[in-house]
Structure formats: C-alpha cells, structure tokens
Amino acid sequence: MKRSAFFISDGTGITAETLGQSLLAQFENITFNKFTRPYIDSIDKARAMVAHINSAAERDGVRPIIFDTIVNRDIRDILATSNGFMIDIFSTFLAPLEQELGDHSSYSVGKSHSIARNAAYMERIEAVNFALDNDDGARTHYYDKADLILVGVSRCGKTPTCLYMAMQFGIRAANYPLTEDDMERLQLPGALQAHRQKLFGLTIDADRLTAIRHERKPNSRYSSFAQCEFEVREVENLFRRENIPNINSTHFSVEEISTRILAQMGVERRFK
C-alpha cells in the first residue's frame, strides 16, 4: 500500500516532520511518499498547498496524511478544506497542557528552533566547531575540554556521531582514529592516556566496514575484507584490555548510537 504524507508548518517544519516521521515509522507495511512543506505562512501558500494535497489524493486514490504545526487559524481553516486526514500536532498536546498548567500557550511560530534561544544556539554552534576542530585526531591538545572522545577504526561512524551529538545536544565530542599504522603493536595512544574516563569505543562488523571503505577507496588494501577484519579484531581486543566501553555501530542509526553513548557514559545533554 502507498500513501502520501505531508509535514506542513508555518515555521521550519522540523517539529511536524520529526514527530510525523516517528509515527509513520510504526507502519512497516505501508510505503509513504513524504513531502515537507515549511513556511506555509500566507493564504495564497495555503491554497496552493490544498491543491497539492488534493492532487496527491486523486493520484493515490486515498486521502493523504497531514501532520501540521500551523499556528495561524485562518491558514489552518484553508488546509482543513483539503482532501486529507489532518493531525494538528499543537492542539493535540497544547490543549491538555494548558489545562494542567493553568496557563495559555503563546501559539507562536518557530519557538522550538529559533535563534532567539540564544544560549542554546551558541552552545550548539560551539559544540559543532569543537567536533570539526577535533576530528580524526587532527588535534589532541583540547581533549581536556571534551565531554567525550570516540575511538575506533577509520570509517566506523565516529565523525557523524560526534556531529550529531553536537547539533542535537551541545555535546563537545572529539574522535581519534586507530589506523593501520597503529595495529602492529596496538596500545592506547599517549594522547588518550590522560583522558581514559572520556573514552568510548565504536566498533563495526568487518563486512559492513569493507562496504563503506570500498565506496571511498575501491579495490584497495584499505577496503579489503582481510584488512578490515584485522583492524576490527585488534581494536576490539584493545577495548577489552583497556576496559573501554564500546558498542557495535553496524545496525544502529547515528541517533541510536548517540543516545546509547550518552546513557552509558552518564553524560548530560547541554540542552534538551
């Protein structure tokens, strides 16, 4: 079965898309054609959106699913004329919250992702800059300022995990690759010795690592299964010898990897 799904907002659309995607992921037997439409903030845009939704309904032969975080009532009323099944995320949750808190919501556009939340925004930017400046062991003299240091073989997911934790949680994460040059007599590098309490290891299945490396350097020693298997085995032995907590990243998304790391290490998010 195929259905169209729309994530519509008069702001960035991030809230509508995030919650909508999470809900739709529970329906594994249905294929969704997904459309994110941010900044639907005028009557004309709303009418054009209705035409798009109705076209999808006619094409699919079934009404589309609509997740919206539209604040403006006039725009919502126009969208409600479409041939779609609407889920108003704000009213679903804000009404009971207003009753419980004894206060009225501001119903303002863009509150969650506005630069006006200056402290959290600056934490995010500083954490991203830290992750970039301390990527792949390029620098090690700022490790005293790191919340976490990820260790593992090349291409096991360290960099995207560091950047995700920086963007989402304001975590200052560095990463240090253990390369082929380290493998002959693999020991914990001196640059990491003083920061053992911050270390977390990432490992990966050798066949998956082979596929990832092959995309970067096909038909090379670097991407061969034998080399990948050797490096993974040696690094996992190091983790055991040095008692470094670690997880296998093969079957986890970057979101799952990041959340598991923070939970296991007891690191608090800088903003939530």
Side-chain angles (χ1 to χ4, degrees), residues 7 51 167:
F7 312 108
M167 281 290 294

Side-chain angles (χ1 to χ4, degrees), residues 14-174:
I14 293 173
T15 301
E17 184 175 25
T18 300
L19 182 55
Q21 293 271 28
S22 296
L23 293 172
L24 294 182
Q26 303 301 315
F27 299 90
E28 298 176 358
N29 297 323
I30 302 175
T31 300
F32 292 97
N33 295 318
K34 300 171 183 177
F35 306 92
T36 301
R37 295 296 181 264
Y39 300 112
I40 304 300
D41 51 8
S42 70
I43 298 300
D44 288 342
K45 289 180 181 179
R47 288 173 177 155
M49 196 69 252
V50 169
H52 190 178
I53 294 167
N54 289 346
S55 175
E58 184 176 353
R59 180 184 65 248
D60 297 343
V62 63
R63 60 180 178 169
I65 309 299
I66 303 169
F67 297 93
D68 83 88
T69 52
I70 298 290
V71 172
N72 184 288
R73 175 59 61 183
D74 293 335
I75 293 175
R76 286 208 77 254
D77 288 345
I78 292 172
L79 289 177
T81 66
S82 70
N83 187 17
F85 175 72
M86 290 186 68
I87 300 174
D88 178 1
I89 292 173
F90 277 171
S91 67
T92 299
F93 297 107
L94 284 179
L97 271 175
E98 287 177 332
Q99 185 174 357
E100 174 64 24
L101 297 174
D103 194 11
H104 292 290
S105 163
S106 64
Y107 283 88
S108 300
V109 177
K111 282 286 188 180
S112 298
H113 305 283
S114 171
I115 196 172
R117 299 175 67 200
N118 194 53
Y121 183 79
M122 292 310 299
E123 287 279 8
R124 186 194 309 267
I125 296 303
E126 289 175 9
V128 170
N129 286 333
F130 185 90
L132 293 172
D133 288 343
N134 294 274
D135 184 44
D136 275 343
R139 300 184 185 182
T140 60
H141 51 279
Y142 292 121
Y143 281 3
D144 59 320
K145 297 179 173 61
D147 298 310
L148 292 168
I149 303 169
L150 301 190
V151 186
V153 299
S154 171
R155 312 303 287 180
C156 69
K158 300 183 302 299
T159 296
T161 301
C162 286
L163 288 172
Y164 180 84
M165 289 192 291
M167 281 290 294
Q168 294 296 316
F169 310 129
I171 298 298
R172 292 180 176 84

Side-chain angles (χ1 to χ4, degrees), residues 5 29 46 71 78 83 110 119 168-169 176 215-216 227 230 237 257-258 262 270:
N29 297 323
V71 172
I78 292 172
N83 187 17
Q168 294 296 316
F169 310 129
Y176 191 100
E215 292 179 3
R216 188 179 188 189
Q227 181 63 28
F230 168 68
N237 287 338
I257 295 168
S258 300
L262 296 183
R270 279 201 167 79

